[in-house]
Structures are given as structure tokens and as C-alpha cells.
Amino acid sequence: MRDEALTAIAGADTLDALKQVRIDHVGDRSPLALANREIGALPPQARKDAGQRVGQARGAINQALAAKTAEVEAAEEERALVTESVDVTLPWDVQPVGARHPITTLSEHIADIFVAMGWEIAEGPEVEAEWLNFDALNLGPDHPARTMQDTFWVTPERAAMVLRTHTSPVQARTMLTRQPPIYIACPGRVFRTDELDATHSPVFHQVEGLAIDEGLSMGHLKGTLDHFARAIYGDGMTTRFRPSYFPFTEPSAEMDLLCYVCHNEPDAVADCRTCKGEGWVEWGGCGVVNPRVLIACGVDPERYSGFAFGIGIDRTITSRYDIADLRDLFDGDIRFTQPFGVEL
Amino acid sequence: MKVPVTWLRELVQLPDDVTTEQLAARLTQFDLKLEEIISSGISGPLVVGRVLSIVKEPQKNGKTINWCRVDVGPEHNDADGARGIVCGAHNFVEGDLVVVSLPGTVLPALGFEITARKTYGHVSDGMICSSAELGLAGDASGIIVLDADSAAPGDDAIALLGLGDEILDLEVNPDRAYALSLRGVGRDTALAYGLEFADPADIEVTGAGEGYPVTVLDPDACPVFAARAVTGFDPSRPTPAWMAQRIEQAGMRSISLAVDITNYVMLEIGHPIHGFDLSSLQGPIVVRRANEGEKLATLDGVVRTLSTDDTVVTDDRGPISLAGVMGGAETELSSTTTDILIEAAHWKAPMIARTARRHNLPSEASKRYERGVDPELPARATQRVANLLAELGGGTIEDGLTVVGSATPRPSVGMTIGLPSRVTGVDIDAADVVEALERNGCDVALDHESLTATPPSWRFDLNDPNDLVEEVLRVVGYDQVPSILPTAPAGRGLTVAQKLRRRVGTVLAGDGLVEVKTFPFAGQADFDRLGLPADDVRRRQVLLENPLSAEEPGMTTMLLTGLLKSLALNIGRGHADVHITETGRVFLPRPDAAEAPIYGVDRRPTDDEIAAFAAALPDQPHHVGLVMSGERVRTGWAGPGRQATWGDAIAIVQHLAEELHVEIEVQPAQVMPWHPGRCAAIVLNGATIGHAGELHPRVLKAYGLPARVAAAEVDLDALIDASPEIGPRPDFSSFPVAKEDLALIVDDSVAAASVHQALAAASPLIESVRLFDVYSGDQVPDGKKSLAFALRLRAPDRTLTDADIKSAREAAVSAAGSLGATLRA
Ligand SMILES: [Zn+2]
């Protein structure tokens, strides 16, 4: 009986065949089951012996069945996995891929650098009062710099509103509504009446910073900008100052950034395209806040001093990514934005 | 400002080993930024030659060439004392002095190096040069013939013609008006190198007695007016070459000796000068405001209509000069002028700026007046011009000198001696502070800690203590500023709105949208394309006085104006599936807006005054907009895709609202530019904050777009304002769920969302409601549709009984019934 069953198990190579073997050899009507039932009729001495033998046979058969079942299952799974194989190199590109504009992500990156220093991010309107865009910043009605900045004026001219020419009115607004210490960065969209071409745009983006506190000097301005340069371009970066003129700062400086490609290293600088062999690239303007601006904005210049700086976001992008045509940033071709993903 | 280096070196004794590049770099450190170094680029043996003989040789092509023997000096001559040169020009004769470029000379105007070459049967051993070939202004048709005896054969013509000069083109910032002259640049050069400076404006003014009669009726515009006459000037005298050269190197044109002298003195000391033909003047000079509508023919030949804002120089006939901007034609210096009245007047900057702008007449003179001219110079400037007219033109300086008015001294500026150190962060000794200011021309008095500086007459930029600090730092060096990172107080991080706008950006990108940045300019043509009704409030724009384009005269009121242009551009460039988004401000004028106020700057405006800005400025909310064209799920090997539809636009808006934890309602709406049957109003607390759906086919046609473009535009500020500080608390039961399906028949006009809302609110046991099928057709009556909902029922505290389930189901059916819904049989 037992050998017969074991032979049948060995011969079954599907789960269905094994099921039949189970019914035939250990089922209710199997010879083993019948034998078991007949054990009751045997004399007690023989009963024990017979019971033992039937039990052993059943155990051996069940063990064999379990082993064979596992074997067959594994084989069937193996076969199924083979038949279900696919070409995983087929493209699964059914979902459109979104992306964020680098002006947005760079502005956020810069904001994060300043927030990490404890600064805050301030914002303001783009159609701005003339007084806040010019007068409060020491650009009086006859100031030569006021004609230098070619301004979009809102109709009618007596409405005394402009499209802000810089984000500096946000600084004025902050000083007008808060007491120092003030440490703010102002990223935003600004406007000048330049015709759009490869290197000019009537709409562009900048980030300006303002710090007003007791005891701030131009040295703190330099320290902040050096840190900013390192946070964006990595260790070893630095800035340098050249004298310049801005009405809202005095003294004022142009700020150059160590060339982030050649680092002004003697063997690399001569052939560097980014800085054109200068070793430095122009990065923005800065200076010590003119006390006249503090007075107009309600900050006591005897007690407080401060510094301000501004850099162009669009130009930082075109220079860093070697984008020859500024118009690429604004015409909305999805191929421009897509490579940037959601973070820079 | 273009500064010939040889001229500058005449004023400042710079060491010979300072190169022009080094000089430029040093001046940049002193706020005179180099734009470029201009040089002729000519090198090699360019020499003076004397034409010894000319043989005219007619050629087969009809031309006649000259075979010349030219003496180019012993150093360069052949063994027989000359060189042979072929020349095609004919404007010279034997004995003339010419300029010869010998083999090896590089002339950038020609673009090659001169070599000996065989031509017309001779070896031409060099070239006789024209002005054009040397890059010089002047008559280009013939070769240059030098004045007899002005040089000798073999002399270096590069030096003679000033072709070796380098010119610094410097950017002069508006606060450094004095640097628009050799005098100013020379002073800063001396400062930069610690050298002595001989001021070219130190001119002894001679003369006594009454000069030409002058009355100034407008002293506000003209605080000082000086005049000086020179008679017997010889108008036939040429301008000496050195002067003409300097004038042209400085970027002006050499015109005639008298005019050149006035321009030369302006370049030299920075004071503009006007010369009148004395014989053409009629009666005394009067300086006054112009009368409205008065006419003046200026020397550019234009008749100008004047206004009372213009100041004019007049004589008995009326205006003869537009003060400080341009002279009149009737009294200008001509080729026959022998008697000259030299005018050097101090005109005030704002008046000149306005007049020059109104008449669109920027000039070398107005440029200097606008920024500020040294008011101590008028009498000295007339003297300098008179001296040159006498010296170079044989004129006689008349004794009389007119000087009306006088310069107001510059007010002194006080500061504490420690201020430069405090402001710059550089330790600067008191002695260095004083010396730096003195070298800038200030009179300095130091009393203990307190310093008083009286700026020189040419420094209009020194008014405040910090102005003095800048001058001190310029001398100390900007490179001395230390790098110290300040410690800001602990900040509060980004504001809630800033964080949420970032979140919105990330959600939109995650939903497959590409962010674009468009210009916020628009015009009525844009609103026409969008099909907005004539009285639509969105047509009311903030307009600009000076827009770049007449089609876009103002600010946009919707992001869709820019987004649809970008979409059309993308599709025009061959992209089929374009899903783009923009977040930015739109500009909504206030109907009753006041003008924005202008205040003084000597104090902070009051809170009320500050509030007036907000009342005047237009509303500028942030919007979020999106447009989607083509496939939202792309067709490919795995199966067919799916077009972006009205539903995608709504779903993205709903996704944004969910991410901001804001509950919005979607209601049917009919608003352009959307399809009237496929437009949803996005409603927040009863107020419509935007729309989403499919665009109207007419709009797509107007933009040349393919069919079925989905679009949405929503007031993002409204969504963000409604976003709660913290999101909803998780609240769920672990008792078993019961599922019930309901198929309801409703009128076509009933919005699915309203049925959904009714079901969700029908019983507290209804955990969620989901619409899983919409059917209309044979199985339901005309004008009706079947909506199938799956309900999930659950109690927070127990397993539901059959009775619970039954009553919840009945409550749901009854709630739907209030909208006319019946159970589908
Ligand atoms: Zn470089």
C-alpha cells in the first residue's frame, strides 16, 4: 500500500495529479483509510501493532506528498515567471513630466540661504508708488539716476505710480513698518523699458538684501556677500568691491564674484569663456545704506546703520547655465524649463 | 569720457613704467571705471617721406599710375637715397611731404601687413597713405600731404600723427561730474598715484573795466555769467594738428579754430563755452526766461518753439541762444568771424536737464551742465579761450571783462573723525582721514573728534558725512574692507503664504505641468481673442504711459493672456502635448483710486500717509493659471492614451485646494473664455475665485490652437488666505465597513456635485461617497441621466446592524430625492 502510494506521488508532476494521489492514497476511501477502520476489529495485541504500521505508512505518504507538492509548486512558479517575462526597456512614458522654472527655483534657493542665516523674505507690489520706488530711496525728481533707469510710468502720470524698477521699494516698505533689527532678502520681478533682445529684457528678476542694525559696517556687507557666494557656488568663493554710485547707498560698490569656472587660477583664467579672462564676473551692486534713506523711512541714523545689495537672478542663470539668449527664459518653450526639474 | 593718455600725462607726471592697462585698473579703483582702451593698432615703420620724383605711367586699363621716388630718411632709404613706390592717387606733387608705410607696417584699416610687391611693372616698396588707411578722420579721397617743413623724411609718423596714443574710455558716474574733464581725471590720477597735480584751471584772469553789457534776469538759472571779447581774430588760421587730434581723440569733431578752442577748453577744464560772433550782436545781452511760443533757430538749423521753462540768452532782437544747450544760428561763429564774444556761464543743472530733454538736445555742454560744472570757472574759462584765440588766431584780447553774479561757496560738512572706520569696518587713522579729504580738494578742520570739511567748488557730491567716508575709502582702498558675517537675530523663516506658494509650485509640477514665466503686458486685442464681453471688468487695465508696444499698452488682468501665447508658441514649434502653468500677479485697477501721494524725504510719512499708498495702488493678487493641450496620458505601445480634458483642469484645481486643506465647490458656470457647457466656477465660501474647464472653440480659433484645450485660472491669494494653520485631524473608525451602491435617475440639469453633496450629508453613518458611473441613453427617459454612487457606511463605535444600514440608505435616497432623484429600477 505504502510503496504503491509513494510510487504514485513520485509520478505526479502537476498540482492536480498530486490532489488525485492524495484522494486515492490518504483520502476517506483510500486503502489506508479502509485498513484503519478494520483495525478496530483486530484483537487488542494485534490492534496496537497494526495501528502503528498504518500510522507510519500515513506519515510517510503525507511527508512525501508535502515534499512533492512544494517541488511541483516551485516548478510551476518557475514556469509562470518565465512566461510572464517582459522587455523592461520598453518606455513607460505615459505621464507628462512637470518642471519648475529656474527663476523660481533659484529665487527659492537664494531665499533658503538667507533664511538659514536668520533673515526673512519680504515682498511687495509690482505696480508701485513713485515715492517708494524713487524719492524714499534718495532718487529725487531731478536726480540724474532717475532718468538713467528707464521707467514704465502708469497712466496718468500724475497718478505717481510706476512699474517698480528694482525691489528696493520693498526695503523701504519694510523699514516704514518695522523697527530694526531688520535682515531681509527681497526676490522679485522688476521692470525697465528695455526692448527684448538676446541680452536685455523689459521684465527681469533680482534679489536684494537689506540689513539694518546697530553697528553694521561695509565689512558686514562683504561678509554676507562672501557667505552668499560660497553658499551658491561652493567653498573658496569670494567677492571683491569696486567703487561705484547708487543713490540709496553711500559708500557704494560694484561687486565682482570670483569666476566660478576658472577661480582666477593662473593656468585656467586666460582661456576662460565665462569671465573672458578677467578672473572675476560682475555680480551686482551694493553699499552702506544712505542715511537719507533711513531718515525718509523712519529709522534713526544716529543709532542704526545698514547695508544693501542686489543681484540679477536672470543673469545668474544665463551665465551659470551658459544660455546665450535671455529670451529663452521668457518665451515659455517647455524644452527650456523641463531639464531643470523641480529643484535646481 | 574719452581721455587721451598723452594729454593726461601732460597734466600728471606719471612714472614712465606705468602702463595704460595699469593706469586704467588703478583709476577703476578710484571710481573711474574703464570701458575700454582705444588705440589705433598701427605698428611698424610708418614714416614721413618727401616725394622726389613722379613719373606718370598710363596703363592698359585706362588708369594712370604714379611711379614715385620717395626719400624716407637715411635709415630706410635704398643705396640710391630713396625708395620706389607705386601710387594711384594724384593729389600731390614733387617735393610734398607724405606718410609712407614701409614693408612690415600693420594698418588695421586695411587688415594686412604691408609688403614689397610687384605691381604695374615695378617693385612697390611701401605705400603712400591716405587718412582712411590710417583710420583718421578727414578727406578720404586723397593721400595725406603734410605741411611743408612740419617734419623731415624718416620721422616717425606714428608719433607725429598721434597714432600711437592710447585713449581711456572711462565710465563717469553721475556723482563725479568733475571727471568729465582732463582736469578732473588728472586730479584723480594724481590722487591715485600720490603725485602733485598742476591744475590747468589755475589761470590768471587779466583785464579791467566794463565788458560787454549783460543783465541776468533769471539768476536762479544763471548764478554766474562771464563774457570776454577778442577782436581781430584771423578766421583763416587752421587748428593746429595737436589740438585737432586731441579733440578727435576725445570723441568730438574738429570744426574751425575758434570753435575748436572752445571745445578744447571744455575738455580741458570741464566748463562749456559759447562763442558769439560779436559783430552780429544787437544791443546788450539779457538772460531771461523765454516767453511762451517764442522761436529760436538753433545752429543745427532747426527752428525751436520755446516755453517759459526755457532760459535764453537774448539781445535786442530776442533769443540768440538756448542757454547751456545750443546756440542760435544768427550769431554763430562763421568762417568770416573776426570778433568774438566768449560766454562762460554757470547754468543750473535742473533747468538744463529739463530743456535738453524737452528739445531732445543732449550735447557735450548739456551733459556737463546737467551733472554740475565748477561755478568758480566762468571768468577763468573765458580767459583761457581768449588766450588761445590770441595765441593761435592772432586776436587781441579786449580789456573789458563782464562777470555777473558769483559762485555760492559749498557748505561745509561735519563728521566725527571715527565715522569712516565705523562705516567701512576698516581701521583708518585720523591723519589718513584728513589727508584723504585734503587730497580730494577739501579744506579740513579738525577739532578733537569733530571734523569739518569744506568741499571744493567742483564737488557737488560731497554733502553728507557718508559722502566724505566714500572719498576716504577711495583713497584707503575698497580692497581693505574686511569680511565679517553679521549675526541676525533668530528669524521666523518663510511666511505661511511663501511656504504655500512653494507647495503649489511643487504640486503643479507633480501634476505634470511645466512652469513658464511670461510678460504681464496685454491689450484689448488679447481680451478680444479671449472673447470677453465689451463691458467685462477684466478688460479694465492698469495702463502705461510708455508701453513698449501699442498692442500691449497695459498690465494684464489674467494669466491666460500670457499662457495662451506661450501655448501657441510651443505648438508652433511642433510640441503636441503641452501642459503649462504660471503663478504670478495680475493687475486690477480700483475704480475710484486716488493718485499715489508724493511726500518729502526729511521725515517718515505718518501711518495715515503710508496707508494712502495702498489705497491708490491697484489690486495685485497672485493668480495661478494653467493650460493643457494634447494628451494627458500618452498613447504608446501599452495602449491608447487620453486627451487632456475640462476634467483635468478642474481636477488640478481641486488637487491644489486639497493640498492647501481648503474646501472648494465646483459649480457650473458660463464665463468666457471657457466653453459655455464645459466651464466650472471654483467657489470658496460662496465667492467665485476662479474658473476651470475647456476653452471656447472660438478662443482656440483666435489663437490658432488645436481643438479641446483645457484651462484654469484661480486667485491663489484667496486659496492661501483660506488655508487653515494646521490641516484636518485624522479621524477614522476601526469597526467594519458596509458598502451600498445607489443608482439614481435625475434631470440632466442637476449637477452631479449637488447630488454628491446631498448624499454625503444624508447620514452621519455615510463615511464616503464616490460617483462611479454616469449613464444616459435608452435605459433612462429623455432629459434624464443615471448617476451611480458607491457609499461606504461605518459607525465610530459599533458594528453596523442591518437596520442601521437600511436607515442610512433610506436617508440617502431621501436626500437625493430633494433634488428630484429617484432610484433607478
Ligand atoms: Zn573664469
Side-chain angles (χ1 to χ4, degrees):
Chain A
M1 246 170 356
R2 173 181 154 177
D3 292 344
E4 204 176 302
L6 292 180
T7 307
I9 289 167
D13 52 8
T14 66
L15 288 175
D16 286 345
L18 279 171
K19 195 175 167 192
Q20 195 55 51
V21 171
R22 184 186 300 275
I23 293 165
D24 292 348
H25 296 278
V26 287
D28 285 350
R29 297 180 184 192
S30 63
L32 214 54
L34 294 175
N36 204 31
R37 257 174 254 149
E38 282 161 14
I39 286 172
L42 292 176
Q45 195 57 40
R47 204 187 296 169
K48 188 182 170 196
D49 182 48
Q52 243 171 26
R53 276 189 289 120
V54 168
Q56 276 166 3
R58 185 189 291 274
I61 292 167
N62 278 339
Q63 208 175 357
L65 263 173
K68 185 67 182 182
T69 303
E71 190 185 309
V72 170
E73 269 175 358
E76 290 206 346
E77 186 182 62
E78 189 72 15
R79 271 196 302 278
L81 291 176
V82 169
T83 54
E84 288 169 8
S85 292
V86 295
D87 176 2
V88 296
T89 68
L90 284 169
W92 197 262
D93 54 354
V94 295
Q95 296 294 340
V97 177
R100 303 179 70 208
H101 200 282
I103 288 172
T104 306
T105 43
L106 180 60
S107 302
E108 290 178 0
H109 179 47
I110 290 169
D112 289 343
I113 291 167
F114 284 96
V115 166
M117 287 195 284
W119 293 43
E120 290 175 10
I121 307 303
E123 297 167 311
E126 292 171 357
V127 172
E128 184 56 284
E130 177 184 356
W131 190 85
L132 288 162
N133 192 72
F134 289 127
D135 303 60
L137 302 165
N138 195 33
L139 287 119
D142 284 315
H143 205 290
R146 199 143 153 172
T147 51
M148 261 167 41
Q149 300 186 348
D150 303 323
T151 306
F152 284 111
W153 291 85
V154 167
T155 299
E157 212 173 322
R158 69 185 141 73
M161 294 177 213
V162 298
L163 302 191
R164 65 180 181 187
T165 57
H166 41 199
T167 55
S168 313
V170 181
Q171 306 181 7
R173 284 172 172 274
T174 306
M175 286 187 273
L176 284 168
T177 49
R178 265 178 57 181
Q179 279 305 301
I182 291 171
Y183 290 84
I184 53 163
C186 320
R189 180 162 73 171
V190 299
F191 305 83
R192 307 260 170 105
T193 56
D194 285 326
E195 292 283 351
L196 181 65
D197 63 26
T199 53
H200 299 85
S201 171
V203 181
F204 57 103
H205 300 75
Q206 59 176 202
V207 59
E208 293 187 331
L210 171 76
I212 305 285
D213 206 341
E214 290 178 358
L216 287 184
S217 76
M218 211 160 174
H220 295 107
L221 167 61
K222 178 92 165 57
T224 302
L225 292 170
D226 284 344
H227 174 79
F228 182 25
R230 286 191 297 270
I232 288 201
Y233 293 102
D235 285 343
M237 289 302 296
T238 183
T239 59
R240 75 171 182 191
F241 288 168
R242 280 182 287 114
S244 190
Y245 169 76
F246 306 108
F248 33 93
T249 50
E250 184 77 29
S252 302
E254 295 277 355
M255 169 208 346
D256 293 338
L257 177 71
L258 184 68
C259 177
Y260 44 85
V261 174
C262 68
H263 293 91
N264 201 17
E265 276 164 15
D267 51 340
V269 64
D271 300 326
C272 182
R273 281 180 47 199
T274 301
C275 64
K276 299 184 178 67
E278 294 287 324
W280 298 82
V281 290
E282 291 186 13
W283 205 27
C286 61
V288 171
V289 178
N290 194 320
R292 286 174 185 251
V293 174
L294 297 181
I295 290 166
C297 295
V299 174
D300 177 5
E302 297 299 318
R303 180 169 171 201
Y304 295 107
S305 58
F307 60 81
F309 60 87
I311 67 153
I313 289 178
D314 318 62
R315 277 188 52 193
T316 301
I317 291 169
T318 51
S319 146
R320 198 171 177 195
Y321 293 93
D322 202 12
I323 294 161
D325 196 328
L326 190 61
R327 285 170 289 202
D328 289 348
L329 272 70
F330 299 110
D331 65 16
D333 192 315
I334 53 176
R335 288 168 303 176
F336 174 78
T337 306
Q338 265 166 342
F340 289 100
V342 290
E343 287 290 336
L344 278 186
Chain B
M1 175 71 195
K2 292 197 175 71
V3 180
V5 174
T6 48
W7 194 354
L8 181 61
R9 280 180 176 272
E10 207 174 277
L11 299 175
V12 187
Q13 306 309 309
L14 276 175
D16 289 341
D17 61 354
V18 173
T19 66
T20 300
E21 285 75 15
Q22 286 168 341
L23 172 62
R26 186 79 182 135
L27 289 179
T28 295
Q29 291 305 313
F30 277 74
D31 202 7
L32 298 175
K33 188 188 171 195
L34 181 72
E35 298 251 350
E36 60 170 334
I37 296 174
I38 303 165
S39 67
S40 69
I42 294 174
S43 65
L46 189 76
V47 299
V48 175
R50 188 181 303 282
V51 181
L52 301 177
S53 65
I54 302 176
V55 180
K56 296 203 178 291
E57 297 183 351
Q59 301 295 317
K60 285 188 204 116
N61 62 9
K63 277 194 199 167
T64 299
I65 59 113
N66 296 310
W67 170 235
C68 310
R69 298 289 296 165
V70 185
D71 173 8
V72 289
E75 195 187 327
H76 300 290
N77 282 337
D78 295 343
D80 55 352
R83 285 208 189 196
I85 298 174
V86 171
C87 182
H90 301 281
N91 66 320
F92 61 104
V93 295
E94 287 174 2
D96 276 353
L97 281 181
V98 295
V99 178
V100 179
S101 52
L102 295 171
T105 306
V106 176
L107 300 179
L110 298 181
F112 55 82
E113 188 180 318
I114 306 295
T115 53
R117 64 195 178 103
K118 229 177 136 88
T119 176
Y120 296 112
H122 299 283
V123 173
S124 184
D125 210 3
M127 190 178 84
I128 302 176
C129 300
S130 71
S131 298
E133 285 155 352
L134 298 179
L136 295 171
D139 182 10
S141 61
I143 59 130
I144 298 171
V145 178
L146 301 170
D147 289 343
D149 304 326
S150 64
D155 285 357
D156 177 12
I158 291 181
L160 184 76
L161 299 173
L163 294 169
D165 287 6
E166 286 171 305
I167 299 151
L168 296 176
D169 191 359
L170 302 174
E171 182 184 327
V172 175
N173 278 318
D175 61 332
R176 299 204 180 271
Y178 66 91
L180 292 172
S181 66
L182 265 294
R183 180 196 190 204
V185 175
R187 183 184 302 279
D188 275 3
T189 305
L191 177 68
Y193 285 91
L195 299 169
E196 288 307 312
F197 175 62
D199 187 348
D202 271 347
I203 299 155
E204 193 194 344
V205 178
T206 63
E210 295 284 300
Y212 198 86
V214 174
T215 310
V216 175
L217 297 178
D218 189 6
D220 288 341
C222 181
V224 190
F225 190 106
R228 188 79 194 250
V230 171
T231 54
F233 173 79
D234 176 359
S236 69
R237 297 259 192 116
T239 303
W242 60 268
M243 180 180 276
Q245 223 173 72
R246 284 181 172 179
I247 287 172
E248 300 206 343
Q249 285 173 340
M252 298 181 71
R253 282 193 320 122
S254 168
I255 293 163
S256 67
L257 177 59
V259 173
D260 286 354
I261 286 172
T262 63
N263 284 334
Y264 182 81
V265 172
M266 175 176 73
L267 293 168
E268 180 184 54
I269 62 175
H271 201 296
I273 290 130
H274 185 65
F276 292 104
D277 183 331
L278 186 56
S279 66
S280 73
L281 294 184
Q282 300 170 3
I285 281 180
V286 175
V287 176
R288 60 164 169 84
R289 286 299 180 99
N291 300 321
E292 194 68 39
E294 223 169 356
K295 299 271 199 296
L296 169 65
T298 44
L299 47 78
D300 55 357
V302 178
V303 177
R304 296 178 188 275
T305 305
L306 308 176
S307 85
T308 54
D309 287 339
D310 296 318
T311 298
V312 283
V313 178
T314 65
D315 65 4
D316 288 349
R317 91 196 78 180
I320 54 171
S321 169
L322 191 50
V325 177
M326 192 176 265
E330 284 187 29
T331 55
E332 80 176 300
L333 299 177
S334 73
S335 56
T336 58
T337 302
T338 57
D339 299 343
I340 299 168
L341 185 69
I342 307 155
E343 169 214 305
H346 185 69
W347 305 107
K348 280 289 193 186
M351 182 277 288
I352 296 286
R354 279 195 289 266
T355 295
R357 222 174 299 156
R358 187 167 45 247
H359 296 287
N360 194 22
L361 267 179
S363 66
E364 290 289 334
S366 70
K367 183 168 91 185
R368 286 173 173 79
Y369 280 124
E370 273 181 43
R371 298 179 181 206
V373 166
D374 185 348
E376 296 286 1
L377 289 189
R380 288 189 261 166
T382 58
Q383 183 76 44
R384 175 74 172 138
V385 171
N387 291 348
L388 287 169
L389 287 172
E391 185 188 322
L392 304 173
T396 305
I397 304 173
E398 295 296 314
D399 246 3
L401 168 68
T402 310
V403 180
V404 179
S406 62
T408 329
R410 303 281 311 152
S412 59
V413 184
M415 71 169 183
T416 58
I417 191 76
L419 187 72
S421 295
R422 278 209 306 283
V423 169
T424 62
V426 186
D427 274 334
I428 308 168
D429 290 342
D432 291 339
V433 171
V434 171
E435 198 199 331
L437 293 173
E438 283 176 345
R439 291 193 60 90
N440 269 291
C442 295
D443 276 337
V444 181
L446 186 60
D447 181 9
H448 297 95
E449 292 292 287
S450 138
L451 178 150
T452 306
T454 307
S457 52
W458 59 88
R459 288 304 294 269
F460 308 99
D461 58 321
L462 302 183
N463 302 301
D464 294 342
N466 275 37
D467 299 334
L468 301 181
V469 171
E470 180 167 274
E471 294 314 304
V472 172
L473 184 60
R474 206 160 66 114
V475 176
V476 169
Y478 273 58
D479 54 351
Q480 297 301 304
V481 174
S483 184
I484 313 159
L485 190 60
T487 312
R492 288 164 297 185
L494 296 177
T495 64
V496 171
Q498 286 161 353
K499 281 185 210 153
L500 293 184
R501 278 204 297 277
R502 285 189 180 193
R503 194 188 297 172
V504 164
T506 316
V507 167
L508 291 167
D511 279 345
L513 295 165
V514 175
E515 186 187 13
V516 297
K517 297 264 179 201
T518 68
F519 290 171
F521 305 124
Q524 293 304 318
D526 291 294
F527 303 126
D528 292 344
R529 274 194 289 274
L530 290 172
L532 305 192
D535 59 349
D536 194 301
V537 67
R538 292 168 297 173
R539 281 183 180 270
R540 278 229 317 272
Q541 287 179 272
V542 174
L543 292 172
L544 298 173
E545 285 288 292
N546 50 341
L548 287 182
S549 119
E551 285 82 60
E552 297 178 337
M555 308 305 287
T556 195
T557 59
M558 336 169 47
L559 296 178
L560 287 182
T561 53
L563 279 167
L564 286 171
K565 282 176 202 160
S566 273
L567 178 61
L569 175 133
N570 275 288
I571 285 173
R573 289 184 181 177
H575 309 312
D577 308 324
V578 183
H579 312 293
I580 53 177
T581 181
E582 180 167 18
T583 301
R585 292 184 191 272
V586 298
F587 304 85
L588 313 174
R590 289 173 207 279
D592 51 351
E595 291 156 16
I598 300 275
Y599 303 121
V601 292
D602 52 343
R603 62 163 176 87
R604 175 188 183 270
T606 64
D607 288 349
D608 284 348
E609 285 172 336
I610 292 169
F613 292 126
L617 289 172
D619 238 357
Q620 301 168 53
H622 288 90
H623 276 197
V624 55
L626 57 96
V627 294
M628 309 168 79
S629 180
E631 287 186 335
R632 179 83 169 130
V633 178
R634 288 170 70 187
T635 298
W637 61 270
R642 186 174 68 69
Q643 291 290 117
T645 70
W646 55 270
D648 293 305
I650 297 171
I652 291 171
V653 174
Q654 285 172 318
H655 187 196
L656 285 182
E658 261 167 47
E659 289 286 348
L660 301 182
H661 309 304
V662 175
E663 280 195 33
I664 54 167
E665 280 175 58
V666 171
Q667 292 173 2
Q670 294 193 350
V671 174
M672 288 302 280
W674 281 272
H675 187 305
R678 298 183 172 189
C679 172
I682 308 299
V683 178
L684 173 68
N685 297 328
T688 298
I689 61 161
H691 294 89
E694 183 180 310
L695 291 178
H696 198 293
R698 279 209 303 268
V699 174
L700 301 181
K701 210 170 148 198
Y703 279 94
L705 292 169
R708 310 282 175 223
V709 172
E713 175 152 358
V714 177
D715 183 340
L716 182 58
D717 286 348
L719 272 183
I720 284 175
D721 287 347
S723 181
E725 215 167 291
I726 55 169
R729 161 179 171 273
D731 182 16
F732 55 87
S733 154
S734 45
F735 287 92
V737 70
K739 298 176 184 172
E740 284 290 308
D741 288 351
L742 287 181
L744 299 167
I745 307 274
V746 295
D747 283 349
D748 273 341
S749 62
V750 174
S754 54
V755 182
H756 187 287
Q757 279 167 16
L759 294 176
S763 157
L765 297 182
I766 297 177
E767 180 184 75
S768 72
V769 178
R770 184 163 188 275
L771 177 72
F772 67 90
D773 192 32
V774 179
Y775 174 79
S776 56
D778 296 344
Q779 312 289 313
V780 295
D782 271 359
K784 304 257 183 195
K785 62 188 171 187
S786 162
L787 304 174
F789 292 92
L791 310 183
R792 290 166 68 87
L793 310 176
R794 204 184 322 244
D797 52 353
R798 64 184 194 282
T799 301
L800 294 179
T801 63
D802 287 349
D804 286 336
I805 294 168
K806 184 158 176 272
S807 81
R809 184 185 166 89
E810 280 166 2
V813 172
S814 141
S818 67
L819 296 165
T822 55
L823 267 181
R824 190 171 168 189

